Amino acid sequence: MPKVTVDGLEIEVPAGATVLQACELAGKEIPRFCYHERLSIAGNCRMCLVEVAPGPPKPQASCALPAAEGQVIKTDSPMVKKAREGVMEFLLINHPLDCPICDQGGECDLQDQSVAYGRGHSRYHEPKRAVTEKYMGPLIKTVMTRCIQCTRCVRFSEEIAGADEIGALYRGEAMQITTYLEKASAHELSANVIDLCPVGALTSRPYAFEARPWELKKTLGVDVSDALGSNIRIDSRGREVLRVLPRVNDDVNEEWLSDKARFQVDGLTRRRLDKPWLRRDGKLEAATWEEALAAVAKVNPGNSVAVVAGDLLDCETMFAAKKLAGALGSSLLEGRQTGLAYDCTNLAAVNFNSGLAGIEETDALLIVGSHVRWEAAVLNARLRKAAKRGAKVFVVGPEWDATYPVTFLGNDLSVLNKLPKDADAALKGAERPALIIGGAGLAKGALGACLALSEKYGMVREGWNGFNALHFSASRMGGLMLGYFQAGGIADLVDAKPKMLISLGADEVDYTRFAGSMIVYIGHHGDKGAHAADIILPAAAFTEKAGTYVNTEGRVQRGDKAVFAPGDAREDWTILRAMADALGVSVGFDSFDELRDAMVAEVPALGREGLADYGALPKAGKAKAEGVIEAYPVKDFYLTNPIARASETMQRCSAELLHGEDFAEAAE
């Protein structure tokens, strides 16, 4: 490890570190625009200049200069200060003076660094250049006159997203950043360039002119649009969530976020259930809470009760419903609302055991029945990293554009009984072989065959567990930990013909199969489940309650309450507690803290944030794969849940980016 001296302080730095990283290890702040820790080095903004000896007597770009033994680095010498002032002056020559109307105002790197490192006045009095606006789709608003050509967006699209959609035209002062042919950026991670842009060139189109950063209350939360549990920050003003941004968590989502997780939040204020409803003479009519709870009590189901959990639920809600059902004498609980019925007696078999970060280390991967790009967009970026490092990737299922080299082995699951030679050789010769089984594979009963493959190719070895199940529902692992599964799946609930079916925001259920049941829907949107309900009790969305979530790798995380639910809507656990009183049973809790304590006492893993331990994989036994995967569970990436379906932004993304509809832009 080389030793360098930074402003008189001698430190050791890792081999291969740059001078910029060495300065940061020494506690020095180095300004930058083009450099980003997760992108390749461009070295084109020149803001990170420092003085280095031995070397030429001039400032050098610290981001592109390797740290070497014996270097003496100065970060605040007169030469460095003058050079940074000059660079900032050049960057501002053509930059428009529109900070008062720029959405980046208040969180703009150019603003901050021009104050800290700039001259404080301009000597440029010539006409400024202007650049025509580029169309990048319904999510990204462009004002390209502000662009300083740091090329972060270009490098993100090519290296992380794997979609060569953004590039540069022309040269020198005439250079312009644009999407090719000015088409919409259609990748599921496209809006991350908004966070990466250090100026106001790329901003959020749905959020344009909505608020300033200092007006917003910032709440830590967990994304529920897929099963990854991406860490998010919920920005709200008053009772409305205005935007969602990613938080850095290297173990889960790094610092990226899918477009759906980021932009579905406008659906939180649309199509909301804000009062109870009762079905009278075949028609839903508004009611009071007293009338709704009286209707629940009138059903008097005894122990003929079943509970089906939706995809967006927190563990506390599911536990409260479990206690209610248990108090009534029922154990009919199911969370796999679309009809999946795989074996859940050993949760290690349905867990993402490699870990989201660990899957990057695989050198041979078999994906069975999963459209990873739509089911877990951020995970697909990690698989792309593995492929770039040389991992061979094979997929069983219909073809999809993975953004990295993939060998498709067909739709027929019988291929798992004897893999083709290239896949067989790759998995046999791999140091860290891995397998991912998705929803389509689980639905076709391929879990046993995949466990057999895991044993055959030694996917579980010292320091490595390559057997992974990828879910697409935020509530799935938490529900399984709480016992929300039947041996035959939701078919067992149908066969039981319950007098009362409690639907916890379950919008993907085929309710025609419960024609003889009184359906009590506890949810936040007037979506598919509400249309089938006999009694609707308005509940809180994920931003309107505190909750515990378990992602697909068994990581327990907690989100906080950002805003209050609208109208007469209440937090789910309070509704279930009131139902217990109406039905004359005791559930053992009267407050949220008591509820959480009872949940942790029953399932201790839910009280410890971090990865849950599910033990070793079960023995595979003899299992033969058969059947054909005709389609994946996610049919439309942008419209997978009731919040997204209520979102105008997601509706437009689906229409424009997936179905090719044209939207005319108004003249400005």
Side-chain angles (χ1 to χ4, degrees):
M1 295 173 67
K3 289 183 179 179
V4 300
T5 303
V6 180
D7 290 343
L9 176 68
E10 187 177 77
I11 60 168
E12 267 192 336
V13 298
T18 63
V19 169
L20 186 149
Q21 291 168 327
C23 293
E24 291 194 329
L25 286 172
K28 300 296 179 180
E29 181 181 307
I30 303 296
R32 82 291 297 269
F33 291 115
C34 68
Y35 175 80
H36 190 276
E37 293 81 357
R38 302 185 197 278
L39 303 177
S40 62
I41 294 171
N44 54 8
C45 78
R46 318 311 285 180
M47 195 65 207
C48 63
L49 295 172
V50 295
E51 192 177 341
V52 182
K58 63 176 185 178
Q60 299 191 62
S62 60
C63 69
L65 183 66
E69 181 70 35
Q71 281 178 335
V72 178
I73 304 163
K74 295 179 181 178
T75 68
D76 56 0
S77 67
M79 178 196 292
V80 171
K81 289 180 179 177
K82 185 177 180 182
R84 288 176 181 168
E85 287 177 358
V87 169
M88 182 59 70
E89 195 172 9
F90 273 115
L91 288 174
L92 293 175
I93 275 179
N94 285 314
H95 197 79
L97 300 176
D98 59 355
C99 295
I101 62 160
C102 176
D103 268 317
Q104 198 83 346
E107 47 192 9
C108 174
D109 291 349
L110 189 64
Q111 276 184 338
D112 296 341
Q113 293 184 37
S114 63
V115 170
Y117 303 103
R119 294 177 60 91
H121 64 277
S122 174
R123 298 177 291 176
Y124 185 80
H125 301 291
E126 308 304 317
K128 292 176 178 278
R129 78 159 190 165
V131 180
T132 56
E133 305 312 340
K134 315 297 181 188
Y135 183 67
M136 291 193 180
L139 304 179
I140 305 169
K141 178 187 174 188
T142 66
V143 184
M144 300 313 292
T145 302
R146 300 172 186 158
C147 179
I148 61 169
Q149 285 131 24
C150 68
T151 68
R152 281 185 180 182
C153 55
V154 178
R155 285 174 284 147
F156 173 83
S157 295
E158 292 179 353
E159 298 164 13
I160 307 296
D164 293 339
E165 295 177 329
I166 303 177
L169 301 177
Y170 318 123
R171 301 178 67 184
E173 191 187 32
M175 181 177 167
Q176 300 180 21
I177 303 292
T178 178
T179 50
Y180 294 113
L181 303 179
E182 295 194 26
K183 295 292 185 184
S185 184
H187 198 275
E188 296 79 19
L189 298 173
S190 66
N192 286 287
V193 299
I194 295 169
D195 297 333
L196 288 172
C197 184
V199 297
L202 305 177
T203 54
S204 168
R205 187 180 287 269
Y207 177 69
F209 308 127
E210 287 288 331
R212 287 299 193 187
W214 53 84
E215 298 178 75
L216 304 175
K217 185 182 82 170
K218 300 166 179 62
T219 309
L220 305 185
V222 177
D223 170 47
V224 297
S225 66
D226 57 33
L228 295 188
S230 297
N231 288 203
I232 58 174
R233 192 186 85 195
I234 303 163
D235 287 359
S236 58
R237 183 177 60 192
R239 300 188 67 157
E240 184 178 1
V241 174
L242 293 181
R243 67 174 179 178
V244 159
L245 297 176
R247 284 188 287 133
V248 177
N249 187 329
D250 287 334
D251 293 327
V252 183
N253 58 307
E254 299 181 282
E255 60 186 82
W256 315 127
L257 194 60
S258 75
D259 292 350
K260 178 169 57 181
R262 187 187 296 263
F263 288 113
Q264 70 175 2
V265 291
D266 66 321
L268 289 168
T269 58
R270 295 177 173 87
R271 301 185 190 171
R272 286 302 300 268
L273 297 171
D274 59 359
K275 65 182 73 170
W277 295 78
L278 293 178
R279 190 174 296 278
R280 296 184 177 120
D281 298 325
K283 182 180 179 182
L284 284 169
E285 297 178 359
T288 64
W289 273 106
E290 290 76 13
E291 291 172 332
L293 292 171
V296 169
K298 190 176 179 181
V299 178
N300 191 22
N303 64 358
S304 184
V305 172
V307 181
V308 58
D311 291 345
L312 311 182
L313 287 182
D314 55 295
C315 293
E316 285 82 359
T317 297
M318 290 186 282
F319 180 76
K322 178 182 179 180
K323 297 303 285 184
L324 175 59
L328 291 167
S330 172
S331 60
L332 288 173
L333 311 172
E334 183 56 72
R336 299 164 296 178
Q337 53 175 329
T338 54
L340 300 178
Y342 45 85
D343 182 13
C344 299
T345 51
N346 187 329
L347 293 187
V350 290
N351 185 51
F352 203 92
N353 296 293
S354 298
L356 300 177
I359 197 64
E360 295 179 15
E361 305 301 321
T362 185
D363 45 359
L365 173 65
L366 176 64
I367 301 174
V368 180
S370 179
H371 188 325
V372 181
R373 186 170 161 182
W374 279 9
E375 293 171 20
V378 175
L379 175 63
N380 198 58
R382 290 193 185 272
L383 299 186
R384 176 174 163 77
K385 276 199 239 180
K388 286 172 74 174
R389 289 173 179 157
K392 299 282 193 300
V393 183
F394 304 90
V395 176
V396 177
E399 294 192 13
W400 47 279
D401 180 9
T403 74
Y404 44 86
V406 165
T407 303
F408 285 91
L409 304 180
N411 299 10
D412 196 332
L413 284 168
S414 62
V415 72
L416 299 178
N417 301 321
K418 186 177 181 182
L419 291 178
K421 287 183 179 179
D422 52 348
D424 180 67
L427 290 167
K428 275 182 179 174
E431 290 184 16
R432 297 196 167 191
L435 180 147
I436 296 175
I437 179 171
L442 292 169
K444 292 292 184 180
L447 182 59
C450 288
L451 285 168
L453 285 176
S454 173
E455 290 183 3
K456 177 180 179 181
Y457 294 108
M459 291 182 185
V460 181
R461 52 187 73 175
E462 188 175 351
W464 176 252
N465 185 338
F467 186 84
N468 304 295
L470 178 60
H471 304 293
F472 48 84
S473 304
S475 63
R476 185 58 44 81
M477 285 305 293
L480 296 180
M481 291 172 73
L482 289 167
Y484 272 75
F485 58 87
Q486 302 295 313
I490 206 165
D492 286 2
L493 272 60
V494 175
D495 294 342
K497 297 180 179 178
K499 288 178 69 175
M500 178 187 288
L501 177 70
I502 300 174
S503 170
L504 302 175
D507 289 283
E508 320 305 326
V509 174
D510 180 5
Y511 286 102
T512 59
R513 303 170 72 187
F514 293 95
S517 304
M518 173 69 76
I519 298 171
V520 180
Y521 179 80
I522 302 174
H524 42 77
H525 275 78
D527 205 62
K528 302 172 183 177
H531 284 284
D534 299 299
I535 303 172
I536 297 176
L537 305 178
F542 75 102
T543 55
E544 297 155 4
K545 58 186 174 182
T548 302
Y549 300 89
V550 186
N551 74 354
T552 192
E553 61 176 346
R555 184 178 300 276
V556 179
Q557 302 181 108
R558 286 181 175 168
D560 295 328
K561 179 178 180 176
V563 294
F564 288 96
D568 289 334
R570 298 290 181 263
E571 293 186 30
D572 307 57
W573 75 268
T574 64
I575 298 172
L576 292 159
R577 178 67 183 79
M579 285 180 64
D581 283 347
L583 293 167
V585 296
S586 173
V587 288
F589 57 84
D590 295 311
S591 69
F592 182 77
D593 288 338
E594 289 180 8
L595 165 62
R596 182 171 275 178
D597 290 344
M599 179 183 75
V600 171
E602 186 168 310
V603 186
L606 293 176
R608 297 186 294 269
E609 293 193 57
L611 292 173
D613 184 5
Y614 299 128
L617 283 176
K619 294 295 181 183
K622 292 183 179 180
K624 193 173 183 181
E626 55 188 11
V628 175
I629 298 176
E630 296 169 353
Y632 295 109
V634 178
K635 304 291 191 297
D636 187 322
F637 169 75
Y638 297 102
L639 303 176
T640 56
N641 63 64
I643 300 174
R645 289 192 285 266
S647 163
E648 290 183 356
T649 305
M650 291 295 97
Q651 290 171 21
R652 173 161 176 179
C653 285
S654 174
E656 182 175 349
L657 304 180
L658 294 185
H659 302 293
E661 292 186 25
D662 290 327
F663 287 81
E665 292 293 312
E668 292 183 337

